[in-house]
Amino acid sequence: MKNHLIVFIDTLVLSIHMRITARQIELFQMAYRHRSTRKAADALHISQPAISRAVAELEAEMGVPLFDRSGRKFEPTFAAHSLQQAVQKHYQGLERIQEAAIQIASGTGGHLRVATVPAVADTRVAVAAGKLMAEHSALRVDVDVLDEKAGMAALREGRVDCAIVSSDPGDPNLACIRLADLHPVVIVPRDDPLAAARGVSAAELAEAPQVMLTSHSPFRRAVEVMFDSCEVSFQVRAEVQTQSALVRMVAQGAGRAIVDKSILGTSQADDVSAVPLTSNLSWPVRMITFSASNDIPGLQSFTNELEKHQGQAN
């Protein structure tokens, strides 16, 4: 790859004067591959400061951090993953790599990998990802639906760039942004006795079987806490993974459910009735990412879109 890059051109200057050299890309790739400036230097038989300096110059040129250096770590950020993909895809010349670097630095390009809990996957997260990609053709957002524990593991292992969860992990090396507090509503079949009610309590809701999210969902746990605090027992008729599945099952008369009200804007919600829940219940939604990645424009844009969706949902 080094030879391909050098054959085409050593340094290109685009209209915004971003300068990236083949040598910087070569050293960045080695640091990315080894997750260590020392190991990268050993592999290339050069000094460790040379690797560190090249990476720092590249970060300064792009204006975004490429590696998370908190503690004793040296982990690639979202920007680094995106730049590496651009290098691998466009190794024939630096011009395309520089163009990709500009897009990553501005938040209009790159590859953002998101893990999200099922409860908001097919509503808020999918909508935010879709709007961003429609606005920026060079930006790709992949969404993986995982439970909270698996999502956090994927983040720590570098398989995703951010995780949408409910709980605060309390890790000083991670940035935690509280995106929203969801205030759920009750949905019932159209012929349910509660369909015309102005409000429903936990006790009234529990008079019929519940269709609920799976037991490992933090949102399911919040519902169980609500029932417990009201000293109300309830029957689980079925468990499903997503909000959409809750709506579809209730629409067929399988039971009652508690959902994020943003799902009610979808077509499948036409066959259910939504009733305000009078018992106290809220679902916090948080975005977790590495602190070094938090200010990267692509992640900022995604965060802003999620927060914008919260405002529209309210």
Side-chain angles (χ1 to χ4, degrees), residues 187-196 250-253 269-274:
I187 56 171
V188 298
R190 290 288 190 186
D191 59 353
D192 190 286
L194 293 179
V250 171
Q252 300 304 314
D270 294 341
D271 296 325
V272 300
S273 294

Short mmCIF file of all heavy atoms in Angstrom, two decimals, residues 187-196 250-253 269-274:
data_model
loop_
_atom_site.label_atom_id
_atom_site.label_comp_id
_atom_site.label_asym_id
_atom_site.label_seq_id
_atom_site.Cartn_x
_atom_site.Cartn_y
_atom_site.Cartn_z
N ILE A 187 -50.81 1.34 25.45
CA ILE A 187 -51.58 1.06 24.23
C ILE A 187 -52.45 -0.17 24.49
O ILE A 187 -52.03 -1.12 25.16
CB ILE A 187 -50.69 0.85 22.99
CG1 ILE A 187 -49.67 -0.28 23.22
CG2 ILE A 187 -50.01 2.13 22.59
CD1 ILE A 187 -48.92 -0.68 21.95
N VAL A 188 -53.66 -0.11 23.96
CA VAL A 188 -54.62 -1.20 24.12
C VAL A 188 -55.33 -1.41 22.79
O VAL A 188 -55.33 -0.53 21.93
CB VAL A 188 -55.67 -0.85 25.21
CG1 VAL A 188 -55.00 -0.68 26.56
CG2 VAL A 188 -56.46 0.40 24.84
N PRO A 189 -55.93 -2.59 22.58
CA PRO A 189 -56.71 -2.80 21.36
C PRO A 189 -57.89 -1.82 21.30
O PRO A 189 -58.35 -1.31 22.33
CB PRO A 189 -57.22 -4.25 21.51
CG PRO A 189 -56.26 -4.89 22.46
CD PRO A 189 -55.86 -3.81 23.42
N ARG A 190 -58.38 -1.56 20.12
CA ARG A 190 -59.47 -0.60 19.94
C ARG A 190 -60.72 -0.95 20.73
O ARG A 190 -61.45 -0.08 21.18
CB ARG A 190 -59.83 -0.50 18.45
CG ARG A 190 -58.77 0.17 17.58
CD ARG A 190 -58.71 1.64 17.83
NE ARG A 190 -57.87 2.31 16.84
CZ ARG A 190 -57.55 3.59 16.89
NH1 ARG A 190 -58.00 4.33 17.89
NH2 ARG A 190 -56.78 4.14 15.98
N ASP A 191 -60.95 -2.25 20.94
CA ASP A 191 -62.17 -2.67 21.65
C ASP A 191 -61.93 -2.89 23.14
O ASP A 191 -62.78 -3.41 23.85
CB ASP A 191 -62.75 -3.94 21.02
CG ASP A 191 -61.75 -5.10 21.03
OD1 ASP A 191 -60.58 -4.88 21.42
OD2 ASP A 191 -62.14 -6.22 20.64
N ASP A 192 -60.78 -2.50 23.64
CA ASP A 192 -60.47 -2.66 25.06
C ASP A 192 -61.30 -1.67 25.89
O ASP A 192 -61.52 -0.53 25.45
CB ASP A 192 -58.97 -2.41 25.29
CG ASP A 192 -58.51 -2.78 26.69
OD1 ASP A 192 -58.84 -2.03 27.64
OD2 ASP A 192 -57.82 -3.80 26.83
N PRO A 193 -61.77 -2.04 27.09
CA PRO A 193 -62.54 -1.13 27.94
C PRO A 193 -61.80 0.17 28.27
O PRO A 193 -62.43 1.19 28.56
CB PRO A 193 -62.79 -1.95 29.20
CG PRO A 193 -62.73 -3.38 28.74
CD PRO A 193 -61.71 -3.40 27.66
N LEU A 194 -60.45 0.15 28.21
CA LEU A 194 -59.67 1.34 28.53
C LEU A 194 -59.43 2.26 27.33
O LEU A 194 -58.86 3.34 27.48
CB LEU A 194 -58.30 0.94 29.10
CG LEU A 194 -58.28 0.24 30.46
CD1 LEU A 194 -56.85 -0.10 30.84
CD2 LEU A 194 -58.92 1.12 31.53
N ALA A 195 -59.90 1.86 26.15
CA ALA A 195 -59.58 2.60 24.93
C ALA A 195 -60.05 4.04 24.98
O ALA A 195 -59.41 4.93 24.39
CB ALA A 195 -60.18 1.88 23.72
N ALA A 196 -61.15 4.30 25.67
CA ALA A 196 -61.70 5.67 25.72
C ALA A 196 -61.32 6.41 27.00
O ALA A 196 -61.77 7.54 27.22
CB ALA A 196 -63.21 5.62 25.58
N VAL A 250 -50.37 -6.00 20.22
CA VAL A 250 -51.53 -5.37 20.86
C VAL A 250 -52.63 -5.13 19.84
O VAL A 250 -53.82 -5.33 20.12
CB VAL A 250 -51.12 -4.06 21.56
CG1 VAL A 250 -52.36 -3.30 22.03
CG2 VAL A 250 -50.21 -4.36 22.75
N ALA A 251 -52.25 -4.72 18.64
CA ALA A 251 -53.24 -4.47 17.59
C ALA A 251 -54.04 -5.73 17.25
O ALA A 251 -55.20 -5.65 16.84
CB ALA A 251 -52.56 -3.94 16.34
N GLN A 252 -53.43 -6.90 17.44
CA GLN A 252 -54.13 -8.16 17.17
C GLN A 252 -54.94 -8.66 18.37
O GLN A 252 -55.57 -9.72 18.30
CB GLN A 252 -53.12 -9.24 16.77
CG GLN A 252 -52.30 -8.89 15.53
CD GLN A 252 -53.17 -8.59 14.33
OE1 GLN A 252 -54.12 -9.32 14.05
NE2 GLN A 252 -52.87 -7.51 13.63
N GLY A 253 -54.91 -7.89 19.46
CA GLY A 253 -55.70 -8.26 20.63
C GLY A 253 -54.98 -9.16 21.61
O GLY A 253 -55.62 -9.79 22.45
N ALA A 269 -49.52 1.71 14.22
CA ALA A 269 -50.18 2.19 15.43
C ALA A 269 -51.65 2.57 15.18
O ALA A 269 -52.37 2.92 16.11
CB ALA A 269 -49.43 3.39 16.00
N ASP A 270 -52.10 2.48 13.93
CA ASP A 270 -53.48 2.88 13.61
C ASP A 270 -54.51 1.98 14.26
O ASP A 270 -55.66 2.38 14.45
CB ASP A 270 -53.68 2.88 12.09
CG ASP A 270 -52.86 3.95 11.39
OD1 ASP A 270 -52.42 4.89 12.08
OD2 ASP A 270 -52.64 3.83 10.17
N ASP A 271 -54.14 0.75 14.59
CA ASP A 271 -55.11 -0.22 15.11
C ASP A 271 -55.07 -0.36 16.63
O ASP A 271 -55.60 -1.33 17.17
CB ASP A 271 -54.86 -1.59 14.46
CG ASP A 271 -55.09 -1.56 12.96
OD1 ASP A 271 -56.00 -0.84 12.52
OD2 ASP A 271 -54.36 -2.26 12.24
N VAL A 272 -54.43 0.59 17.31
CA VAL A 272 -54.43 0.57 18.77
C VAL A 272 -54.87 1.94 19.29
O VAL A 272 -54.84 2.93 18.57
CB VAL A 272 -53.02 0.23 19.34
CG1 VAL A 272 -52.55 -1.13 18.86
CG2 VAL A 272 -52.01 1.32 18.97
N SER A 273 -55.27 1.96 20.55
CA SER A 273 -55.61 3.22 21.21
C SER A 273 -54.54 3.53 22.25
O SER A 273 -54.10 2.64 22.99
CB SER A 273 -56.98 3.12 21.89
OG SER A 273 -58.00 2.96 20.93
N ALA A 274 -54.10 4.78 22.30
CA ALA A 274 -53.09 5.21 23.26
C ALA A 274 -53.77 5.95 24.41
O ALA A 274 -54.63 6.81 24.18
CB ALA A 274 -52.07 6.12 22.59
#
